[in-house]
Amino acid sequence: MAEGHPLSLSPMSLQDDQRATGLVRLLSLGVRVVTLLEFAVRRRLAQEEDTLAGVSAGNPTRATARPSAELLLDAFEPITLTVITSGQHVQRHLTPLSATQQKVLRLLDLPLTIYTHLSANLANPP
């Protein structure tokens, strides 16, 4: 759900109280995760007295010290994982991370391997 866009639900989704309660809890968890993401990046940028460029859709050179969670997540939208299986042979291609994407992961204290190992883990599930 993008900022400023309503979440639409069909009445069929909420036929009983358990579903409504579950949906509210799930949405609450999602809001907490998004809020934490935004807070962590903004705090780290403030600590480092730095800004983040490449997250504004209309102006990729514009830098901000207070990126929204929506902009942070949108920065990861152009990622593609391609898996081609031919018999026993599996080929994988994962779009390389941009400098902006790498910086966001660093600001969140996440290692780049969380991304680079993604192609191997998704192609060979346990």
Side-chain angles (χ1 to χ4, degrees):
M1 175 176 80
E3 190 173 304
H5 295 276
L7 176 66
S8 57
L9 297 170
S10 65
M12 184 174 249
S13 302
L14 304 174
Q15 284 183 341
D16 61 47
D17 288 344
Q18 283 184 321
R19 285 186 179 190
T21 300
L23 180 61
V24 168
R25 287 179 179 162
L26 182 63
L27 291 174
S28 175
L29 180 62
V31 168
R32 290 175 188 199
V33 168
V34 167
T35 302
L36 181 61
L37 169 77
E38 186 175 283
F39 172 78
V41 169
R42 287 179 176 190
R43 180 180 62 184
R44 186 70 177 267
L45 285 170
Q47 287 171 348
E48 296 178 2
E49 297 179 359
D50 196 5
T51 58
L52 182 64
V55 292
S56 298
N59 187 355
T61 58
R62 182 176 156 237
T64 180
R66 299 184 47 80
S68 69
E70 182 179 8
L71 290 177
L72 293 169
L73 293 172
D74 282 349
F76 287 88
E77 186 178 342
I79 291 176
T80 304
L81 171 65
T82 305
V83 180
I84 301 170
T85 306
S86 177
Q88 298 287 33
H89 186 68
V90 178
Q91 281 188 305
R92 300 171 200 91
H93 178 266
L94 186 60
T95 309
L97 288 174
S98 69
T100 300
Q101 293 164 335
Q102 290 179 31
K103 185 170 183 177
V104 170
L105 291 179
R106 184 187 60 75
L107 291 167
L108 291 168
D109 286 326
L110 295 172
L112 291 181
T113 55
I114 199 170
Y115 180 78
T116 56
H117 290 337
L118 186 62
S119 63
N121 293 338
L122 286 178
N124 301 314

